[in-house]
Amino acid sequence: MIFPILFIFATYSVLILSLSKGFNQLKSPGTKRYPSEIAFSILVPFRNEALNLPDLLNSFIALNYPKNKTEFILINDQSNDTSERVIKEFQALHKTINLVLINNETQSGSPKKDAIELGVNRASNPWIITTDADCVVPENWLQAFNDFICSDSLKMIVAPVTYFNGNTFLDKFQLLDFLSLQGTTMGVFGLESKWSSRPFLCNGANLCYEKQAFLDVNGYEGNRNIISGDDVFLLEKMYEKFNEKVKFLKSEEAVVMTSTKKTLRELIHQRIRWAAKTSSYGHAYGKMVGLIVFLANALLITLLMLSIFNSFPWMYFGFFFLLKFNLDFILLYKTASFFNQTQVLKGYFLSSLMYPLFTVFVALLSFRKSFTWKERTFQK
């Protein structure tokens, strides 16, 4: 029995250490400022976001970028709250900002993909940026993208996202979990095809790509039947076609902030939605990473149960728990330092006790045939 255990934890150790190495290797952009010449169309699909939209819209106003180089396209996905009124009131107060509101045209089983494709087709600028209605963008956000595009030959840019700091344990748990995903994303980009790796994670809350590149890969053709994944499946197609022209923008100036889920139920449904698309990854590396992480966490729970029933030595369980605890901390510390959120690590020990249970629980639930998202139930 000990040899399969050693193999799984050895594989997990190699994975986390390689991601930590990749994180270090991922270079930050230079400090050179380029003229603000890239024109952006910012797309925001939304549904029932009346409470969050004011913060996002105010952050758009505060952007340090020429107004004639930006347009904001907000796509309403059948909201039944006051979201539309919030946007129209904002338009009336800020007539100098180029902001349009359109209604989504549902044509597939994935409303968000439909909304983004509609927005891309309506966009008049050569570069697209997507974000979410519950986000806040930094003032130099567009300038950071502009400088990165001007400094390199790019087709797609994956950029950093994190949660606002919260006070509750649920807030801190979500932030640590999200930082682990961001650390994995950045680590894989830093490996640059070493270890047979390739990028497989990104976040649609902060994603930038050339409009023509989107059209060249035929948008979401081939995965419109998958409810979520408007970000990762597009990343797969872009990387398959453009490879080295798909990069991560490791810049604090580009960090988009978003909100944690208010309840455990909301969090579980969100993570089920994220986990459900893993089986549809087109490349084996992403599936392999997901499987290794699942096995390590499932094995830790199994060893705990065996130790409780005196079928496995507590000393060995303690060793494997501490091994995983310290390995995860290495990558989490690097990621939290980048986002200036190291204070959240104070809750790391308690979260590390809960994380294996949460991960395995969500993974098992992701095999269900349906899930709830934005007050609607979808079939896988």
Side-chain angles (χ1 to χ4, degrees):
M1 179 181 179
I2 194 64
F3 292 107
I5 296 173
L6 289 172
F7 176 77
I8 291 173
F9 277 106
T11 305
Y12 184 81
S13 299
V14 171
L15 171 64
I16 300 302
L17 290 175
S18 67
L19 291 174
S20 298
K21 181 180 180 181
F23 189 98
N24 291 337
Q25 292 177 163
L26 183 62
K27 296 178 181 179
S28 299
T31 57
K32 182 179 178 180
R33 284 290 193 220
Y34 290 83
S36 305
E37 59 185 33
I38 305 298
F40 297 100
S41 295
I42 296 91
L43 311 184
V44 186
F46 70 92
R47 173 178 165 83
N48 295 342
E49 295 285 0
L51 295 178
N52 294 315
L53 278 166
D55 290 335
L56 174 67
L57 295 173
N58 287 329
S59 70
F60 285 165
I61 286 293
L63 282 169
N64 181 23
Y65 204 75
K67 287 184 172 59
N68 65 343
K69 295 289 185 181
T70 61
E71 68 171 349
F72 302 90
I73 302 175
L74 279 67
I75 307 103
N76 185 4
D77 183 23
Q78 301 178 12
S79 295
N80 52 30
D81 66 353
T82 59
S83 294
E84 188 170 323
R85 188 176 71 190
V86 168
I87 295 168
K88 289 182 176 179
E89 290 175 352
F90 178 85
Q91 287 176 305
L93 290 173
H94 303 279
K95 297 183 183 298
T96 59
I97 187 172
N98 183 6
L99 186 149
V100 296
L101 172 64
I102 60 178
N103 290 315
N104 193 19
E105 298 174 2
T106 304
Q107 299 181 4
S108 72
S110 178
K112 189 173 183 181
K113 293 191 182 80
D114 291 334
I116 292 174
E117 287 196 312
L118 178 63
V120 170
N121 290 330
R122 291 286 297 270
S124 58
N125 291 329
W127 281 87
I128 305 293
I129 303 179
T130 62
T131 191
D132 293 335
D134 59 351
C135 293
V136 171
V137 304
E139 64 178 9
N140 290 322
W141 185 48
L142 297 182
Q143 187 64 47
F145 281 119
N146 175 86
D147 295 344
F148 202 38
I149 294 167
C150 291
S151 67
D152 205 343
S153 176
L154 299 170
K155 293 293 184 179
M156 185 181 206
I157 302 168
V158 178
V161 183
T162 191
Y163 286 139
F164 292 107
N165 294 318
N167 298 319
T168 69
F169 172 75
L170 185 62
D171 290 331
K172 292 178 171 59
F173 179 83
Q174 289 180 73
L175 177 53
L176 284 167
D177 180 36
F178 200 75
L179 288 174
S180 72
L181 292 173
Q182 286 289 294
T184 300
T185 302
M186 298 165 78
V188 174
F189 269 96
L191 289 173
E192 296 180 345
S193 298
K194 299 181 181 71
W195 312 78
S196 298
S197 68
R198 60 183 291 165
F200 66 95
L201 287 176
C202 62
N203 195 302
N206 202 6
L207 196 59
C208 177
Y209 43 85
E210 192 180 49
K211 177 179 178 177
Q212 187 57 50
F214 183 90
L215 300 176
D216 287 343
V217 299
N218 297 314
Y220 297 114
E221 185 177 320
N223 52 58
R224 289 191 183 94
N225 61 312
I226 304 170
I227 303 303
S228 61
D230 56 278
D231 42 19
V232 296
F233 295 126
L234 183 60
L235 170 64
E236 281 192 341
K237 295 177 75 173
M238 290 282 197
Y239 192 81
E240 189 69 33
K241 186 172 183 64
F242 301 113
N243 202 275
E244 295 179 357
K245 295 183 179 181
V246 178
K247 293 191 176 181
F248 191 96
L249 176 53
K250 191 181 183 183
S251 169
E252 293 181 17
E253 291 188 320
V255 174
V256 163
M257 305 288 290
T258 188
S259 302
T260 57
K261 296 301 177 184
K262 294 180 175 59
T263 66
L264 181 60
R265 179 183 177 83
E266 288 181 315
L267 172 62
I268 290 173
H269 278 291
Q270 180 194 58
R271 293 305 196 263
I272 290 173
R273 176 168 56 86
W274 290 359
K277 61 195 175 192
T278 305
S279 60
S280 300
Y281 284 160
H283 193 267
Y285 183 74
K287 294 179 180 179
M288 181 195 73
V289 171
L291 179 61
I292 292 171
V293 171
F294 172 79
L295 289 175
N297 284 285
L299 183 56
L300 205 58
I301 295 172
T302 302
L303 295 181
L304 174 62
M305 298 303 297
L306 291 174
S307 298
I308 290 174
F309 291 103
N310 296 318
S311 298
F312 192 79
W314 278 101
M315 180 179 68
Y316 291 160
F317 165 76
F319 171 78
F320 289 119
F321 172 79
L322 289 175
L323 174 65
K324 184 178 182 300
F325 178 90
N326 287 294
L327 285 169
D328 291 346
F329 185 82
I330 294 171
L331 184 59
L332 271 175
Y333 181 79
K334 293 178 185 294
T335 312
S337 297
F338 169 77
F339 286 105
N340 296 313
Q341 292 180 310
T342 53
Q343 73 282 353
V344 75
L345 295 173
K346 293 178 181 178
Y348 174 58
F349 179 76
L350 183 57
S351 293
S352 68
L353 296 176
M354 303 298 297
Y355 185 76
L357 292 169
F358 177 77
T359 301
V360 172
F361 180 66
V362 167
L364 293 176
L365 286 181
S366 70
F367 289 100
R368 295 193 311 179
K369 296 299 182 182
S370 65
F371 58 84
T372 302
W373 182 27
K374 295 289 184 180
E375 303 172 4
R376 294 180 291 195
T377 299
F378 294 92
Q379 300 297 319
K380 288 177 57 178

